[in-house]
Amino acid sequence: MLFQDFEKITSKQWKNQIQYELKGADYNETLVWESLEGIKVKPFYHNDEDSITNAVSTTNTQFSITQEIYVFDLEKSIAKANEVLTRGAESIRFIVPSNEIDVVSLINQLQHRPKAVYLKLLFLDADVVSKINEEAGKQSFEIFVLVDPIHHLAFDGNFYKDGNSDFETLNQINKKASNINWLTVNSTTYQNAGANMIQQIAYTLAHTNEYLNRIEDFDQNITIEVAIGGNYFFEIAKLRALRLTLNALAQVYSSNISFHILAKPTRRNKTIYDYNVNLLRTTTECMSAILGGADAIENSAYDEIYHKTNEFGDRISRNQLLILKEESYFDKVKNPADGAYYIESLTQQLAEKGLELFKDIEKNGGLISQLIEGTIQRKISESAIKEQDLFNEGKEVLLGTNKYPNALDKMQHDLELYPFVKQNPRKTLITPIIEKRLAEALEQERLEAEKNA
């Protein structure tokens, strides 16, 4: 009722006042900026000008806190999973490198019931998936098997075996896997390699469409793995636009298809110098994931790019999500971004532009065809170079790295892992999409200077 006591102000009145305050400076040149996606961002949004509706009718904020565990030693991995489930983790994502690992034991030896277990298989084996499906029928929590031959092709350069065999295996799995969520679209590489948000949405749609075209009678849940960058409001809108467009795509095939979004902070903007700033970056990225509607979030340790997995880094990353959930109440408000004209406008524009690019990809043979031709790699590279140039010029800022660096910060003797792109020349079906951090070249220069000091 309070707002009835005030006169409505039109967008024209706001613009006139802003133009007056600018004292002659050009409104568009001074206050309107353009993102890497070609979206012009205005200083304010008004409903008499932007005809904005709620693009996404429901946005989930009941996210699950997920912990990643690489399974090197079976018993140690089970013990670690049981420990982290008592210390705040709600779901576990096991990275399973070999079909020799007893995945059934990973599941049935969990003493504390998780919300979900994700099994990321670094191989493709229908028999292993069948065993997981049988065990899942005995459990009360959800089980997700993360297998994605198209991501393996894009990231590694090859299918697991070959295209026909891989898709034949997926069809075998589809006939038997009734107790698990087994189909996955891993789109993290697109973001980590430097694709802009429109490309990320379009490539994820095209990636999904390849499976829907090649797997017969598929009508289940699809897990979408997403990397979240540092552009706070844009990333909220990206997730909303992604779910919106995926739902539209699914309706063409089956009304039973749904999507489960598993989000993780990007590696692209993380640094080895002034590494504590990574905590701030991952916090805002997790916030974007929650407000954008991710179903599960796996936070990254602040030191994951240069340290081996360690208890301190894992605990801090888990506690970041616990604070957002238990102390900041980020999961208590339904559809928190609804009615925010800026986010709604971004959602609409990203969805429209993403769909337009997706349609272009489909007209030109689809994602796999364009990966084989090298078109997707070239487009991502072009986008990555634009972003890299902005970083090199200081227009895209990473605090402590290309802005306000600490000259006394030394990292030469603190690197347990090689934090840069690894060169491994070999014969591949396609040129792999290379994930690369923005700060790599600058960091290599600083490390070299340390050696020579």
Side-chain angles (χ1 to χ4, degrees):
M1 300 295 290
L2 176 66
F3 291 103
Q4 294 179 1
D5 295 334
F6 296 89
E7 291 184 10
K8 289 184 178 180
I9 300 176
T10 66
S11 60
K12 185 176 180 180
Q13 288 174 295
W14 276 111
K15 281 185 179 177
N16 287 339
Q17 182 63 34
I18 291 170
Q19 192 65 63
Y20 172 78
E21 298 291 344
L22 286 173
K23 295 181 171 53
D26 185 87
Y27 175 88
N28 289 318
E29 289 185 9
T30 307
L31 298 179
V32 178
W33 60 275
E34 186 172 308
S35 74
L36 287 167
E37 293 74 23
I39 293 175
K40 293 189 184 307
V41 180
K42 301 183 294 185
F44 76 98
Y45 291 77
H46 197 289
N47 63 358
D48 72 4
E49 187 177 70
D50 295 291
S51 62
I52 294 167
T53 58
N54 289 345
V56 184
S57 58
T58 57
T59 300
N60 174 51
T61 54
Q62 296 291 321
F63 67 98
S64 171
I65 299 172
T66 306
Q67 178 85 50
E68 177 185 289
I69 298 175
Y70 186 93
V71 184
F72 179 74
D73 180 288
L74 182 64
E75 295 306 319
K76 288 181 179 178
S77 298
I78 293 169
K80 182 176 180 180
N82 284 318
E83 180 191 6
V84 300
L85 284 169
T86 65
R87 303 185 69 182
E90 298 169 319
S91 300
I92 302 293
R93 186 168 79 116
F94 290 112
I95 311 297
V96 185
S98 165
N99 59 3
E100 296 178 3
I101 290 171
D102 185 357
V103 289
V104 173
S105 290
L106 282 175
I107 300 168
N108 63 31
Q109 290 192 49
L110 293 176
Q111 298 167 3
H112 302 277
R113 183 179 177 273
K115 286 186 176 179
V117 169
Y118 302 87
L119 295 163
K120 186 175 181 65
L121 308 183
L122 303 185
F123 55 89
L124 185 60
D125 189 323
D127 292 336
V128 171
V129 177
S130 180
K131 290 177 183 176
I132 297 168
N133 183 66
E134 184 179 346
E135 179 61 27
K138 307 171 187 176
Q139 302 293 342
S140 58
F141 51 83
E142 278 194 287
I143 294 179
F144 296 79
V145 174
L146 309 179
V147 291
D148 186 353
I150 296 175
H151 172 261
H152 193 270
L153 171 68
F155 181 76
D156 182 75
N158 293 307
F159 284 105
Y160 289 104
K161 188 174 182 182
D162 62 69
N164 291 334
S165 298
D166 285 5
F167 287 113
E168 185 179 335
T169 301
L170 294 186
N171 275 290
Q172 291 173 14
I173 293 171
N174 188 44
K175 292 174 183 177
K176 300 177 182 178
S178 57
N179 300 321
I180 57 176
N181 305 283
W182 66 271
L183 183 59
T184 304
V185 171
N186 186 345
S187 67
T188 58
T189 292
Y190 306 134
Q191 205 283 344
N192 285 323
N196 65 44
M197 292 186 198
I198 291 168
Q199 290 172 330
Q200 291 171 49
I201 292 169
Y203 297 160
T204 304
L205 287 171
H207 194 145
T208 305
N209 198 47
E210 290 284 357
Y211 286 131
L212 296 178
N213 276 325
R214 294 166 187 266
I215 300 172
E216 297 176 7
D217 302 320
F218 181 86
D219 62 351
Q220 301 176 33
N221 181 77
I222 301 175
T223 304
I224 309 292
E225 293 189 68
V226 182
I228 304 297
N231 194 338
Y232 186 70
F233 293 110
F234 267 74
E235 290 291 344
I236 295 171
K238 180 184 83 175
L239 278 191
R240 288 160 55 84
L242 186 59
R243 194 180 287 277
L244 185 71
T245 52
L246 283 168
N247 287 339
L249 175 65
Q251 289 302 312
V252 177
Y253 292 90
S254 169
S255 59
N256 294 326
I257 296 173
S258 58
F259 298 94
H260 180 90
I261 295 179
L262 172 59
K264 183 176 182 178
T266 182
R267 290 173 63 91
R268 187 155 171 78
N269 63 358
K270 303 306 179 291
T271 60
I272 62 175
Y273 286 96
D274 214 345
Y275 47 76
N276 287 323
V277 181
N278 290 334
L279 288 166
L280 305 179
R281 297 178 184 123
T282 54
T283 298
T284 62
E285 287 157 6
C286 288
M287 289 164 65
S288 292
I290 298 166
L291 298 178
D295 299 285
I297 302 172
E298 177 192 309
N299 194 14
S300 306
Y302 72 98
D303 59 348
E304 74 164 10
I305 59 175
Y306 66 91
H307 272 170
K308 295 177 183 177
T309 301
N310 59 88
E311 195 277 334
F312 182 76
D314 285 348
R315 178 164 60 88
I316 294 297
S317 65
R318 192 167 57 245
N319 286 349
Q320 288 172 260
L321 288 171
L322 282 168
I323 289 170
L324 290 175
K325 191 169 199 174
E326 304 297 340
E327 297 185 27
S328 303
Y329 306 113
F330 262 60
D331 65 332
K332 297 297 188 288
V333 180
K334 190 176 182 181
N335 307 338
D338 280 2
Y341 294 163
Y342 179 38
I343 295 174
E344 295 289 1
S345 176
L346 292 178
T347 301
Q348 288 180 8
Q349 291 183 76
L350 288 171
E352 290 168 3
K353 290 176 182 288
L355 277 172
E356 185 180 346
L357 179 54
F358 163 66
K359 291 174 182 177
D360 182 70
I361 293 168
E362 293 304 306
K363 284 179 184 176
N364 289 282
L367 184 80
I368 292 176
S369 176
Q370 292 208 353
L371 281 170
I372 293 171
E373 293 167 2
T375 305
I376 300 295
Q377 295 91 320
R378 177 171 51 82
K379 294 291 186 183
I380 292 176
S381 178
E382 289 171 358
S383 177
I385 289 170
K386 280 185 185 178
E387 189 181 19
Q388 188 70 55
D389 287 343
L390 290 174
F391 173 81
N392 295 343
E393 294 165 8
K395 294 177 182 176
E396 179 156 339
V397 174
L398 295 182
L399 287 175
T401 301
N402 69 337
K403 190 80 169 179
Y404 308 121
N406 179 2
L408 301 178
D409 197 4
K410 307 296 181 186
M411 290 298 297
Q412 182 184 352
H413 301 295
D414 203 20
L415 303 182
E416 296 175 355
L417 301 172
Y418 186 72
F420 309 116
V421 172
K422 296 176 182 176
Q423 302 295 327
N424 183 24
R426 57 197 170 84
K427 187 176 181 180
T428 57
L429 176 64
I430 69 166
T431 302
I433 297 173
I434 306 298
E435 298 184 3
K436 186 177 181 181
R437 295 181 300 107
L438 287 167
E440 288 199 15
L442 193 152
E443 289 172 348
Q444 286 173 313
E445 290 176 9
R446 289 185 65 174
L447 286 171
E448 191 62 32
E450 281 185 45
K451 293 176 184 177
N452 298 328

